[in-house]
Amino acid sequence: EPTQEGERFVTLRRVGDIQAVLAVYHIPAALHPDMAPLDVLSQVLGAPQTGRLYKALVDTKKAVAAGFGSRSMHDPGFAMAYAQLKPDQSIDDVQQILLKTVEGLADQPPTQEEVDRAKSRILKNDELLLTNTQSVAMNLGGYAGDGAWRLFFLDRDEIAKVTPGDVTRVAQAYLKSSNRTLGEFLPTK
């Protein structure tokens, strides 16, 4: 259901005992030049132990898990922030912190250290992927589906060039309430 800002909100009930908050943002297609900065942004926000969401929600014991990731595709894709909570944790508090952390990135730009750490992680994962022929084949196939198998190598080269300013620019462009669908999973017996 749309709100006055154009944001969409969905509540789902499911059997279980874990609550979840999800914020999904529209992003461009895989061949768009903003994808490399968005990949770095995903690590700045979503990396385990070092990402801003982990620090804001898991380290503070507000949630049991939190992260951020983007999914580029041939057609426009999505980026998603999430947090999982135990039943006794406040979903409203977590939602506010999650949105403030994600959408606040534009106002609290990443440091050079955060960007360098994110780029190092991405480039190291790419390097490790190249040591396994099956992984190479599967990933190149995925990139072919996105539009060009060479995109894997182009992405790698573009990641190395990303600056904190690039990450801030894409945060301003895509991580805003008018580009968001917000969802909650609420446990039920």
Side-chain angles (χ1 to χ4, degrees), residues 65-89:
F68 189 97
S70 59
R71 176 66 179 111
S72 60
M73 297 180 260
H74 181 272
D75 297 318
F78 63 90
M80 181 178 71
Y82 72 90
Q84 291 180 331
L85 306 78
K86 294 185 282 188
D88 60 334
Q89 293 173 310

Tab-separated table of all heavy atoms in Angstrom, residues 65-89:
chain	number	residue	atom	x	y	z
A	65	ALA	N	20.576	-10.626	13.330
A	65	ALA	CA	21.269	-10.613	12.044
A	65	ALA	C	20.852	-9.362	11.284
A	65	ALA	O	19.737	-8.872	11.447
A	65	ALA	CB	20.930	-11.852	11.226
A	66	ALA	N	21.762	-8.869	10.461
A	66	ALA	CA	21.462	-7.704	9.629
A	66	ALA	C	22.419	-7.703	8.448
A	66	ALA	O	23.539	-8.211	8.545
A	66	ALA	CB	21.608	-6.410	10.425
A	67	GLY	N	21.965	-7.148	7.342
A	67	GLY	CA	22.834	-7.079	6.185
A	67	GLY	C	22.235	-6.254	5.075
A	67	GLY	O	21.124	-5.732	5.183
A	68	PHE	N	22.990	-6.153	4.003
A	68	PHE	CA	22.575	-5.384	2.835
A	68	PHE	C	23.212	-6.033	1.623
A	68	PHE	O	24.378	-6.425	1.660
A	68	PHE	CB	23.055	-3.934	2.947
A	68	PHE	CG	22.497	-3.012	1.898
A	68	PHE	CD1	21.393	-2.233	2.169
A	68	PHE	CD2	23.071	-2.928	0.640
A	68	PHE	CE1	20.861	-1.387	1.205
A	68	PHE	CE2	22.554	-2.089	-0.327
A	68	PHE	CZ	21.456	-1.312	-0.044
A	69	GLY	N	22.456	-6.154	0.549
A	69	GLY	CA	23.002	-6.708	-0.682
A	69	GLY	C	22.260	-6.167	-1.876
A	69	GLY	O	21.136	-5.682	-1.764
A	70	SER	N	22.928	-6.226	-3.015
A	70	SER	CA	22.272	-5.782	-4.246
A	70	SER	C	22.261	-6.922	-5.240
A	70	SER	O	23.122	-7.793	-5.228
A	70	SER	CB	22.991	-4.559	-4.828
A	70	SER	OG	24.336	-4.849	-5.108
A	71	ARG	N	21.266	-6.918	-6.087
A	71	ARG	CA	21.118	-7.961	-7.113
A	71	ARG	C	20.950	-7.274	-8.454
A	71	ARG	O	19.890	-6.711	-8.753
A	71	ARG	CB	19.911	-8.849	-6.803
A	71	ARG	CG	19.616	-9.886	-7.838
A	71	ARG	CD	20.732	-10.949	-7.924
A	71	ARG	NE	20.384	-11.933	-8.922
A	71	ARG	CZ	21.013	-12.065	-10.079
A	71	ARG	NH1	22.028	-11.295	-10.366
A	71	ARG	NH2	20.647	-12.986	-10.932
A	72	SER	N	22.027	-7.267	-9.206
A	72	SER	CA	21.935	-6.687	-10.545
A	72	SER	C	21.456	-7.764	-11.508
A	72	SER	O	21.712	-8.948	-11.315
A	72	SER	CB	23.291	-6.134	-10.978
A	72	SER	OG	24.255	-7.157	-11.004
A	73	MET	N	20.764	-7.326	-12.537
A	73	MET	CA	20.195	-8.240	-13.522
A	73	MET	C	20.222	-7.567	-14.888
A	73	MET	O	20.575	-6.394	-14.988
A	73	MET	CB	18.753	-8.583	-13.148
A	73	MET	CG	18.621	-9.307	-11.819
A	73	MET	SD	16.914	-9.687	-11.424
A	73	MET	CE	16.543	-8.373	-10.276
A	74	HIS	N	19.809	-8.302	-15.905
A	74	HIS	CA	19.710	-7.738	-17.244
A	74	HIS	C	18.784	-6.519	-17.227
A	74	HIS	O	19.082	-5.494	-17.824
A	74	HIS	CB	19.185	-8.792	-18.218
A	74	HIS	CG	19.078	-8.283	-19.620
A	74	HIS	ND1	17.946	-7.648	-20.085
A	74	HIS	CD2	19.960	-8.294	-20.643
A	74	HIS	CE1	18.135	-7.292	-21.335
A	74	HIS	NE2	19.346	-7.683	-21.709
A	75	ASP	N	17.675	-6.646	-16.539
A	75	ASP	CA	16.742	-5.544	-16.348
A	75	ASP	C	17.040	-4.907	-15.000
A	75	ASP	O	17.811	-5.450	-14.216
A	75	ASP	CB	15.306	-6.072	-16.397
A	75	ASP	CG	14.979	-6.670	-17.760
A	75	ASP	OD1	15.374	-6.073	-18.774
A	75	ASP	OD2	14.350	-7.745	-17.807
A	76	PRO	N	16.450	-3.757	-14.693
A	76	PRO	CA	16.726	-3.148	-13.393
A	76	PRO	C	16.538	-4.146	-12.247
A	76	PRO	O	15.646	-4.992	-12.277
A	76	PRO	CB	15.706	-2.007	-13.326
A	76	PRO	CG	15.531	-1.617	-14.761
A	76	PRO	CD	15.575	-2.920	-15.522
A	77	GLY	N	17.398	-4.024	-11.253
A	77	GLY	CA	17.394	-4.966	-10.136
A	77	GLY	C	16.957	-4.317	-8.841
A	77	GLY	O	16.185	-3.348	-8.838
A	78	PHE	N	17.500	-4.830	-7.735
A	78	PHE	CA	17.120	-4.305	-6.433
A	78	PHE	C	18.278	-4.417	-5.454
A	78	PHE	O	19.185	-5.221	-5.621
A	78	PHE	CB	15.889	-5.044	-5.880
A	78	PHE	CG	16.129	-6.516	-5.643
A	78	PHE	CD1	16.593	-6.967	-4.409
A	78	PHE	CD2	15.893	-7.439	-6.637
A	78	PHE	CE1	16.815	-8.315	-4.196
A	78	PHE	CE2	16.117	-8.792	-6.436
A	78	PHE	CZ	16.579	-9.235	-5.210
A	79	ALA	N	18.213	-3.573	-4.443
A	79	ALA	CA	19.114	-3.655	-3.298
A	79	ALA	C	18.214	-3.844	-2.082
A	79	ALA	O	17.107	-3.287	-2.024
A	79	ALA	CB	19.943	-2.391	-3.165
A	80	MET	N	18.681	-4.650	-1.128
A	80	MET	CA	17.817	-4.969	0.013
A	80	MET	C	18.594	-4.906	1.319
A	80	MET	O	19.661	-5.500	1.448
A	80	MET	CB	17.231	-6.368	-0.147
A	80	MET	CG	16.299	-6.754	0.993
A	80	MET	SD	15.558	-8.388	0.784
A	80	MET	CE	16.954	-9.449	1.066
A	81	ALA	N	18.037	-4.181	2.258
A	81	ALA	CA	18.543	-4.165	3.633
A	81	ALA	C	17.607	-5.033	4.456
A	81	ALA	O	16.391	-5.038	4.232
A	81	ALA	CB	18.547	-2.746	4.178
A	82	TYR	N	18.168	-5.791	5.402
A	82	TYR	CA	17.313	-6.650	6.225
A	82	TYR	C	17.862	-6.742	7.641
A	82	TYR	O	19.032	-6.516	7.903
A	82	TYR	CB	17.208	-8.058	5.627
A	82	TYR	CG	18.491	-8.852	5.770
A	82	TYR	CD1	18.722	-9.648	6.893
A	82	TYR	CD2	19.477	-8.777	4.804
A	82	TYR	CE1	19.916	-10.341	7.037
A	82	TYR	CE2	20.656	-9.474	4.942
A	82	TYR	CZ	20.874	-10.249	6.062
A	82	TYR	OH	22.048	-10.924	6.203
A	83	ALA	N	16.959	-7.087	8.529
A	83	ALA	CA	17.324	-7.399	9.910
A	83	ALA	C	16.389	-8.496	10.399
A	83	ALA	O	15.199	-8.486	10.096
A	83	ALA	CB	17.201	-6.173	10.806
A	84	GLN	N	16.941	-9.455	11.145
A	84	GLN	CA	16.153	-10.508	11.781
A	84	GLN	C	16.203	-10.293	13.281
A	84	GLN	O	17.255	-9.956	13.834
A	84	GLN	CB	16.706	-11.888	11.443
A	84	GLN	CG	16.517	-12.264	10.001
A	84	GLN	CD	17.075	-13.644	9.699
A	84	GLN	OE1	18.016	-14.102	10.325
A	84	GLN	NE2	16.475	-14.312	8.725
A	85	LEU	N	15.056	-10.517	13.931
A	85	LEU	CA	14.936	-10.257	15.357
A	85	LEU	C	14.296	-11.436	16.065
A	85	LEU	O	13.483	-12.151	15.476
A	85	LEU	CB	14.018	-9.057	15.622
A	85	LEU	CG	14.260	-7.735	14.958
A	85	LEU	CD1	13.801	-7.701	13.539
A	85	LEU	CD2	13.543	-6.673	15.746
A	86	LYS	N	14.602	-11.572	17.336
A	86	LYS	CA	13.888	-12.529	18.173
A	86	LYS	C	12.534	-11.910	18.519
A	86	LYS	O	12.348	-10.698	18.413
A	86	LYS	CB	14.687	-12.816	19.450
A	86	LYS	CG	16.003	-13.539	19.189
A	86	LYS	CD	16.707	-13.914	20.472
A	86	LYS	CE	17.389	-12.692	21.048
A	86	LYS	NZ	18.247	-12.968	22.193
A	87	PRO	N	11.570	-12.732	18.960
A	87	PRO	CA	10.227	-12.207	19.246
A	87	PRO	C	10.191	-11.108	20.323
A	87	PRO	O	9.326	-10.246	20.283
A	87	PRO	CB	9.448	-13.436	19.729
A	87	PRO	CG	10.197	-14.598	19.212
A	87	PRO	CD	11.634	-14.179	19.097
A	88	ASP	N	11.149	-11.128	21.243
A	88	ASP	CA	11.130	-10.134	22.315
A	88	ASP	C	11.844	-8.835	21.939
A	88	ASP	O	11.866	-7.892	22.720
A	88	ASP	CB	11.741	-10.720	23.592
A	88	ASP	CG	13.187	-11.150	23.404
A	88	ASP	OD1	13.579	-11.459	22.261
A	88	ASP	OD2	13.929	-11.171	24.415
A	89	GLN	N	12.388	-8.752	20.730
A	89	GLN	CA	13.054	-7.529	20.297
A	89	GLN	C	12.061	-6.634	19.566
A	89	GLN	O	11.125	-7.114	18.930
A	89	GLN	CB	14.253	-7.868	19.399
A	89	GLN	CG	15.371	-8.573	20.165
A	89	GLN	CD	16.496	-9.062	19.262
A	89	GLN	OE1	16.240	-9.715	18.258
A	89	GLN	NE2	17.725	-8.747	19.644
